[in-house]
């Protein structure tokens, strides 16, 4: 055929630039033995290019689109209408019309066609763009078909398509549009089939929606379709809906709605045999494409026809394993309070350090917990541990454990080899000097690393880092270190249980953990208040910092009154805390020391919102509240039967908590300190590779694993195609939300909170810091966007230690991710902030600026 049309038999996935995603997928479907596809052809992107080339009015309108954001809806609406009118008014050249007519010549002139848009950025493995462009059904006659081809070209600029491209950072000019012209099938039934459950993600489940007539009724939401679920060739669930309307083709072209006879409305659309046969076809299509598919089908005269198939882009990938056994995976990100994807270099460092059995998927880490669920004892230990951290994870683990036969039983000996070294406990004395010694040993080790790494470069550097990771692992998993904060955590749980039992008071330990010693993270938040104290007296200095737009601002500070003191204060802060940043478990993330301007909004907010000496005042206030709480509890206990002994035992536990709970934050600080030293040395090596012409940019090392980077240093060979592929994949990973718990079938296992007396309309979560507070919700997804006023309540997906400086300004905390002992919860308790974590979809359910009530005693949030 000509450059303007290709028959389905001429198309495969390599023709995507010519026929778009929909057209390429139809060509692939056409090639599968046993799959029936209505015949047709594609009007290629060459035709679209020819139509739109050298059209100055159209080019001017597209230029105006480049300045629009996704929220400029009125402007987008105006430009969309103008662009579509412009394209539809362009006449189709004679040679193009001839080519299209030749494609129609083998069909009867009275036959109807579906005329569908097929964009080059549509129905792809990474973005479906489903429904963004137009589809026209039962178009009859050459003239009408040509008109509707022009309408399809114009639909590349529907409002929804424009917004979708803006949201996905796709250049409007880079996308081209082909048009599918496909012979109509007039079905008795039609619908959609997913070869993986679109809700749970289970890859073994096929989900089928079916209704009478054309599938347009289902897509347009005109009818409640039947839903059938097939698992491994068996119909396991059926929902038969009342189907009152159907869409059918009309005799002269087009379609119309029709009422379904009352006696047919509750009839099952497909028989069980047809359901199973359709699911079998779905598996054939999935096998051909290599990933789960969203398939449009129709049934005519007993034959299933496939009219479209596209990847399901919303599924979270399944971690890869070498066997076919069932596995259960726990999200590491939910424990680390960082559910964003991690770069390949960051993942490799985590894997070099952890002793746990890990898997990766979509840039996230998962613990393979299968072995821990394989015996009653290890299963109980895992579920109990999860319950103390995150009730949703605990409930999900109980759900999957109760599935008969899902996890194979194992012997205790087989499970023991997977036990983490950190599981060991040493008997520990209640002596604060233990913490001082552990911190001093770590600081000495870090200082020695900093000194010794200066002399390493080239291959020797990577051998040195690999050797030092052994030292880091010794420090992280030292039994004494683990025993210190576990003793505090156990004592905290004991206090909460016993005070509730003896005094009827919930979460009593929360107040007792305020202003404890040795908490490196809470001290960091207070230290930034001290930095603000240094800057506040100098208005010109404050004004300068408010307009800083580069990283050289520190050098300019001595030119202002008070500037040298301010510079010393900031650099002093960076010497101690500059290795921290949002998402710090990823070694590739930009640290505060690398970009100090990230701290300026927080410092300036502290200048504005606080009085001098606020850090000392806050610490002292928290300390007095903790001491008063201790005194109150012990006094009340002494008045109970056996009160003297109860008070004595409680005092021991309180001392354990106050002496040791602050150390809970230190091991991660020590790890991140080492990370920063490794990173600085590797970036220096990367700079040498850039100067040698091997690397394009030093930051390209982030897209290689540690082993791969070491190989590049050794061989001076690099695969840039791999780096580009990983960068593109990362962009897609950012759009996915990892589950807390998932199986090797891809099924997301969910849990629920068991709350008594949950108020109507309240959103359930986990109470991690007691108290009830009301205030303005500030919904913040990125820390750099924070604009907090005193008394605000922070609502965010998650917080890691880098968010701590914001905590001094708020009076309550709500997060979507977190547990009793994750960083946000620990710091909220130390600062005395009522907090509820694990509030699923909090940033969507709560609107910025709403007044909300946070109940940190019982664990829920209300919009008031």
């Amino acid at each position: 055929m000509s450059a303007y049309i290709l028959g389905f038999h001429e198309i495969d996935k390599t023709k995507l630039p010519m026929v778009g995603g929909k057209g390429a997928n139809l060509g692939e479907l056409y090639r599968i033995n046993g799959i029936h596809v209505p015949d047709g052809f594609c009007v290629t992107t060459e035709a679209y290019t020819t139509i739109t080339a050298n059209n100055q009015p159209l080019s001017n309108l597209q230029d105006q689109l480049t300045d629009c954001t996704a929220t400029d809806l009125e402007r987008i609406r105006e430009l969309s209408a103008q662009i579509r009118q412009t394209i539809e008014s362009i006449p189709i050249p004679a040679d193009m019309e001839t080519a299209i007519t030749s494609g129609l010549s083998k069909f009867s002139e009275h036959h109807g066609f579906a005329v569908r848009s097929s964009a080059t950025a549509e129905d792809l493995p990474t973005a479906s763009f489903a429904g963004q462009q137009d589809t026209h059904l039962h178009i009859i006659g050459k003239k009408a078909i040509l008109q509707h081809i022009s309408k399809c070209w114009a639909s590349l600029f529907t409002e929804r398509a424009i917004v979708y491209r803006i949201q996905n950072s796709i250049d409007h000019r880079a996308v081209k549009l082909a048009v599918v012209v496909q012979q109509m099938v007039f079905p008795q039934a039609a619908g959609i089939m997913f070869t993986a459950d679109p809700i749970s993600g289970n890859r073994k489940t096929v989900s089928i929606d079916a209704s009478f007539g054309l599938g347009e009724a289902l897509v347009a939401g005109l009818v409640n379709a039947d839903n059938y679920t097939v698992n491994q060739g068996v119909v396991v669930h059926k929902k038969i809906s009342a189907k009152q309307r159907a869409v059918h083709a009309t005799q002269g072209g087009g379609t119309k709605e029709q009422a379904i006879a009352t006696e047919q409305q509750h009839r099952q659309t497909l028989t069980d045999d047809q359901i199973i046969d359709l699911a079998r076809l779905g598996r054939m299509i999935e096998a051909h494409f290599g990933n789960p598919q969203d398939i449009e089908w129709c049934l005519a005269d007993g034959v299933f026809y496939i009219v479209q198939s596209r990847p399901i882009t919303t599924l979270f990938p399944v971690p890869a394993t070498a066997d076919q056994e069932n596995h259960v995976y726990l999200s590491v990100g939910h424990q680390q309070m960082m559910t964003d994807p991690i770069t390949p270099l960051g993942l490799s460092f985590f894997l070099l350090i952890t002793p746990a059995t890990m898997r990766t998927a979509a840039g996230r880490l998962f613990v393979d917990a299968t072995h821990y669920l394989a015996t009653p004892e290890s299963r109980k230990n895992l579920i109990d541990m999860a319950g103390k951290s995150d009730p949703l994870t605990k409930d999900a683990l109980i759900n999957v454990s109760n599935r008969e036969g899902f996890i194979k039983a194992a012997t205790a000996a087989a499970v023991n080899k997977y036990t983490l070294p950190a599981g060991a406990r040493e008997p520990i004395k209640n002596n604060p000097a233990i913490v001082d010694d552990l911190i001093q040993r770590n600081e000495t080790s870090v200082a020695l690393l900093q000194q010794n790494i200066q002399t390493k470069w080239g291959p020797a550097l990577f051998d040195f880092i690999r050797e030092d990771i052994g030292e880091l692992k010794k420090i992280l998993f030292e039994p004494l270190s683990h025993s210190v904060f576990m003793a505090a955590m156990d004592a905290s749980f004991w206090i909460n249980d016993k005070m509730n039992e003896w005094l009827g008071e919930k979460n009593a330990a929360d107040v007792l953990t305020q202003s404890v010693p040795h908490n490196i993270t809470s001290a960091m938040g207070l230290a930034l208040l001290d930095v603000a104290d240094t800057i506040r007296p100098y208005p010109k200095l404050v004004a300068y910092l408010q307009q800083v737009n580069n990283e050289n601002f520190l050098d300019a500070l001595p030119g202002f009154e008070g500037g040298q003191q301010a510079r010393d204060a900031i650099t002093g802060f960076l010497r101690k805390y500059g290795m921290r940043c949002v998402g710090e478990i990823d070694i590739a993330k930009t640290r505060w020391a690398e970009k100090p301007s990230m701290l300026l909004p927080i410092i300036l907010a502290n200048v504005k919102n606080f009085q001098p000496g606020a850090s000392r005042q806050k610490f002292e206030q928290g300390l007095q509240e903790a001491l008063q709480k201790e005194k109150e509890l012990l006094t009340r206990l002494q008045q109970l039967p056996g009160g003297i002994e109860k008070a004595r035992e409680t005092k021991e536990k309180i001392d354990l908590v106050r002496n040791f709970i602050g150390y809970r934050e230190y091991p991660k600080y020590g790890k991140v300190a080492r990370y920063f030293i490794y990173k600085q040395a590797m970036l220096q090596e990367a700079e040498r590779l850039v100067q040698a012409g091997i690397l394009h940019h030093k930051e390209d090392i982030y897209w290689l694993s540690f082993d791969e980077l070491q190989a590049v240093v050794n061989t001076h060979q690099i695969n840039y195609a791999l780096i580009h592929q990983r960068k593109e994949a990362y962009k897609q990973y950012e759009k996915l939300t990892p589950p807390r718990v998932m199986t090797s079938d891809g099924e997301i296992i969910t849990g629920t909170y068991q709350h008594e007396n949950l108020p109507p309309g309240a959103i359930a979560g986990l109470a991690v810091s007691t108290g009830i507070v009301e205030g303005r919700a500030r919904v913040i997804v990125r820390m750099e966007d924070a604009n907090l006023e005193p008394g605000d309540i922070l609502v965010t997906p998650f917080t890691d230690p880098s968010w701590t400086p914001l905590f001094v300004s708020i009076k309550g905390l709500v997060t979507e991710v977190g547990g009793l002992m994750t960083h946000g919860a620990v710091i909220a308790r130390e600062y005395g902030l009522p907090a509820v974590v694990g509030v699923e979809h909090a940033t969507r359910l709560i609107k910025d600026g709403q007044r909300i009530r946070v109940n940190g005693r019982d664990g829920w949030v209300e919009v008031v």
Side-chain angles (χ1 to χ4, degrees):
M1 291 188 179
S2 77
Y4 293 135
I5 71 166
L6 287 173
F8 289 168
H9 66 285
E10 300 176 283
I11 297 171
D12 60 20
K13 61 186 177 183
T14 67
K15 301 293 195 303
L16 187 146
M18 300 175 66
V19 298
K22 190 180 277 104
N25 289 348
L26 276 171
E28 289 289 330
L29 287 167
Y30 201 81
R31 294 166 177 268
I32 306 174
N33 289 331
I35 300 297
H36 298 279
V37 178
D39 201 4
F41 59 90
C42 284
V43 181
T44 66
T45 54
E46 181 68 24
Y48 172 81
T49 300
T50 300
I51 284 291
T52 57
N54 302 318
N55 188 302
Q56 195 58 50
L58 176 61
S59 181
N60 292 340
L61 290 167
Q62 288 177 318
D63 287 342
Q64 295 177 56
L65 267 187
T66 60
D67 297 327
C68 292
T69 67
T71 58
D72 296 331
L73 298 181
E74 187 58 39
R75 183 62 178 150
I76 289 172
R77 186 175 298 115
E78 294 172 2
L79 290 170
S80 169
Q82 293 175 45
I83 291 173
R84 295 183 71 173
Q85 183 179 18
T86 300
I87 294 175
E88 287 186 47
S89 66
I90 300 172
I92 295 177
D95 59 337
M96 190 182 298
E97 182 175 333
T98 299
I100 295 169
T101 302
S102 71
L104 294 169
S105 62
K106 68 176 181 177
F107 302 100
S108 165
E109 63 181 15
H110 302 296
H111 205 97
F113 290 85
V115 182
R116 301 171 182 264
S117 306
S118 179
T120 53
E122 180 180 45
D123 294 348
L124 307 178
T126 55
S128 75
F129 281 74
Q132 299 303 315
Q133 283 85 42
D134 287 354
T135 289
H136 306 279
L137 299 179
H138 197 34
I139 308 303
I140 299 175
K142 183 186 78 171
K143 181 178 179 181
I145 289 170
L146 290 171
Q147 288 175 341
H148 284 85
I149 288 172
S150 290
K151 288 180 179 292
C152 283
W153 286 329
S155 74
L156 190 59
F157 292 92
T158 61
E159 295 167 39
R160 58 186 181 274
I162 291 169
V163 171
Y164 196 93
R165 287 197 294 272
I166 292 172
Q167 290 172 334
N168 286 272
S169 302
I170 295 174
D171 185 352
H172 300 295
R173 296 178 189 273
V175 181
K176 301 188 185 321
L177 192 127
V179 180
V180 173
V181 180
Q182 186 174 27
Q183 190 175 11
M184 279 290 293
V185 171
F186 304 103
Q188 290 80 51
I192 299 169
M193 169 169 54
F194 297 95
T195 63
D197 189 312
I199 305 300
S200 74
N202 193 329
R203 272 44 166 201
K204 289 184 177 177
T205 296
V206 175
S207 178
I208 298 170
D209 287 346
S211 62
F212 297 117
L214 290 165
E216 199 66 14
L218 191 155
V219 174
L222 301 175
V223 64
N224 293 320
D226 290 354
N227 177 257
Y228 317 123
T229 301
V230 181
N231 191 291
Q232 301 183 77
V234 178
V235 180
V236 295
H237 175 75
K238 290 187 289 187
K239 176 187 175 185
I240 313 303
S241 298
K243 299 168 285 292
Q244 298 177 344
R245 312 287 295 173
V247 174
H248 292 282
T250 58
Q251 187 172 359
T255 61
K256 68 175 181 179
E257 291 181 39
Q258 292 181 353
I260 296 176
T262 303
E263 64 273 13
Q264 190 183 7
Q265 290 180 5
H266 294 275
R267 187 183 304 166
Q268 187 171 316
T269 307
L270 299 179
T271 67
D272 284 10
D273 287 344
Q274 288 172 330
I275 294 168
I276 292 170
D277 189 40
L278 181 57
R280 179 185 60 82
L281 297 177
R283 289 295 182 216
M284 289 173 58
I285 295 168
E286 179 184 68
H288 178 83
F289 285 103
N291 48 45
Q293 296 288 299
D294 168 0
I295 299 166
E296 296 177 25
W297 59 268
C298 55
L299 177 66
D301 301 322
V303 177
F304 282 111
Y305 291 89
I306 306 300
V307 295
Q308 190 47 246
S309 187
R310 62 177 66 88
I312 307 175
T313 59
T314 56
L315 296 175
F316 196 88
V318 182
T321 53
D323 58 49
Q324 300 299 312
E325 302 294 330
N326 293 330
H327 291 262
V328 177
Y329 304 111
L330 301 184
S331 166
V332 172
H334 283 79
Q335 298 300 314
Q336 292 290 329
M337 299 293 282
M338 212 287 277
T339 56
D340 291 342
I342 304 174
T343 60
L345 188 63
L347 287 172
S348 66
F349 265 88
F350 205 103
L351 293 171
L352 282 169
I353 293 166
T354 181
T357 305
M358 289 280 182
R359 301 284 183 262
T360 62
R364 275 76 167 197
L365 288 157
F366 293 86
V367 175
D368 189 340
T370 313
H371 304 288
Y372 304 106
L373 298 173
T375 69
E377 182 179 358
S378 61
R379 180 167 57 248
K380 180 181 183 301
N381 290 339
L382 177 63
I383 290 174
D384 286 348
M385 181 179 70
K388 291 179 178 179
S389 174
D390 178 10
L392 292 179
T393 297
K394 175 183 178 180
D395 199 44
L397 287 173
I398 292 173
N399 289 342
V400 75
S401 297
N402 288 339
R403 295 183 178 180
E404 187 174 351
F406 188 79
I407 300 296
K408 287 185 178 179
T411 63
V415 174
N416 284 341
K417 69 176 182 176
Y418 296 99
T419 301
L420 302 183
R425 297 279 192 94
E426 283 189 2
I428 189 166
K429 294 181 179 179
N430 192 353
N431 181 359
I434 296 173
V435 175
D436 293 323
D437 183 56
L438 286 169
I439 291 174
Q440 182 58 52
R441 282 155 57 186
N442 183 77
E443 290 182 351
T444 300
S445 177
V446 170
L448 188 63
L449 164 65
Q450 180 74 73
Q451 176 183 328
N452 291 339
I453 205 170
Q454 303 296 328
T455 63
K456 311 298 180 185
W457 60 278
L461 170 65
F462 291 84
D463 292 337
F464 176 80
I465 291 175
R466 196 181 294 274
E467 182 180 348
D468 191 77
I469 286 173
E471 177 68 15
L472 172 56
K473 290 165 71 173
K474 285 181 186 177
I475 293 171
L476 283 176
F477 303 119
E478 182 183 3
L480 178 61
S481 177
H482 179 73
S483 296
V484 166
F485 59 77
M486 285 305 301
M489 290 165 63
D490 290 343
S492 179
F493 294 136
W494 185 94
I495 290 170
N496 281 339
D497 289 343
K498 292 301 183 182
M499 297 308 101
N500 192 26
E501 176 187 346
W502 293 340
L503 300 175
E505 181 167 341
K506 289 184 177 181
N507 305 325
D510 291 358
V511 178
L512 298 171
T513 59
Q514 291 182 198
S515 300
V516 294
H518 302 118
N519 191 317
I520 192 72
T521 305
S522 63
M524 176 176 68
L526 298 179
L528 268 189
L529 288 174
D530 293 336
V531 172
D533 285 354
T534 306
I535 295 168
R536 189 180 294 107
Y538 306 103
K540 290 183 179 179
L541 180 60
V542 172
Y544 168 70
L545 292 176
Q546 288 172 335
Q547 51 83 44
V548 162
N549 56 12
N550 60 62
E551 296 308 318
N552 299 322
F553 72 94
L554 287 172
D555 295 334
L557 292 185
F560 294 86
E561 184 184 4
Q564 186 60 51
Q565 299 96 303
R567 188 180 191 279
D568 291 344
I570 294 172
T571 54
F573 179 89
L574 292 174
R575 276 195 297 273
K576 188 163 187 177
Y577 302 108
M579 78 291 286
R580 312 219 82 155
C581 66
V582 174
E584 63 191 9
I585 63 170
D586 184 352
I587 199 170
K589 292 289 188 181
T590 302
R591 311 284 146 171
W592 290 339
E594 296 171 312
K595 190 178 180 182
S597 63
M598 292 191 291
L599 291 171
L600 287 181
I602 304 172
I603 294 172
L604 291 168
N606 288 347
V607 168
K608 173 185 174 183
N609 296 328
F610 293 96
Q611 296 298 314
S615 66
R616 291 181 294 280
Q617 180 184 348
K618 279 183 170 291
F619 186 87
E620 185 61 29
Q621 180 182 342
L623 177 61
Q624 293 306 315
E625 289 177 4
L627 295 176
Q628 181 61 36
K629 188 65 178 180
E630 175 183 335
K631 181 179 179 181
E632 174 205 328
L633 291 174
L634 297 179
T635 300
R636 291 169 64 192
L637 287 171
Q638 288 170 356
Q639 296 170 4
L640 299 177
I644 300 298
E645 177 59 25
K646 289 176 180 176
R648 183 197 63 77
E649 192 174 6
T650 300
K651 172 61 175 170
E652 288 181 359
K653 299 297 184 183
I654 291 173
D655 288 347
L656 268 175
V657 169
R658 292 202 57 80
N659 286 338
F660 292 155
I661 198 66
Y663 180 72
R664 167 71 179 82
E665 292 291 299
Y666 197 85
K668 188 176 185 183
Y669 171 81
K671 175 181 176 179
V672 173
R674 278 187 130 80
Y675 264 21
F676 189 42
I677 296 171
Y678 298 155
K679 182 184 182 183
Q680 287 177 304
M682 288 189 296
L683 284 175
Q684 288 177 5
E685 191 62 34
E687 189 59 51
R688 295 187 184 99
L689 293 173
V690 170
Q691 292 172 3
I694 296 160
L695 280 180
H696 298 168
H697 308 283
K698 64 181 181 180
E699 292 81 9
D700 289 343
I701 67 172
Y702 301 153
W703 307 102
L704 300 171
S705 71
F706 182 78
D707 290 343
E708 290 167 343
L709 178 55
Q710 186 171 18
V712 170
V713 171
N714 290 338
T715 66
H716 283 196
Q717 301 292 319
I718 190 166
N719 181 356
Y720 256 99
L722 180 64
I723 289 177
H724 177 73
Q725 175 187 335
R726 287 176 175 172
K727 287 181 178 179
E728 291 302 309
Y730 187 89
K731 293 177 185 177
Q732 304 308 319
Y733 297 161
E734 288 180 301
K735 302 173 185 177
L736 299 174
T737 301
R740 282 177 167 82
V741 180
M742 73 183 304
T743 72
S744 47
D745 293 339
E747 182 180 3
I748 296 172
I749 310 297
T750 58
T752 56
Y753 290 109
Q754 307 301 321
H755 276 305
E756 296 180 3
N757 305 317
L758 185 70
I763 313 168
L766 174 65
V768 295
S769 186
T770 195
I772 300 174
V773 66
E774 290 186 15
R776 180 180 65 163
R778 296 313 311 264
V779 180
I780 298 171
V781 176
R782 302 188 311 160
M783 180 179 159
E784 54 266 39
D785 296 333
N787 181 19
L788 296 165
E789 299 287 343
D792 284 345
I793 295 173
L794 175 60
V795 181
T796 189
F798 56 81
T799 64
D800 63 7
S802 69
W803 288 70
T804 301
L806 298 181
F807 284 24
V808 299
S809 295
I810 61 177
K811 66 177 182 180
L813 175 68
V814 178
T815 69
E816 296 178 337
V817 174
L820 278 168
M821 286 298 166
T822 47
H823 300 279
V826 171
I827 303 305
R829 288 194 291 272
E830 174 149 348
Y831 283 175
L833 302 173
V836 180
V837 303
V839 182
E840 294 199 289
H841 312 302
T843 57
R844 279 187 279 164
L845 297 174
I846 299 170
K847 305 302 180 186
D848 187 63
Q850 284 183 322
R851 187 168 183 82
I852 62 173
R853 179 183 300 119
V854 176
N855 187 320
R857 181 192 63 198
D858 299 313
W860 61 68
V861 183
E862 298 174 275
V863 177
V864 297

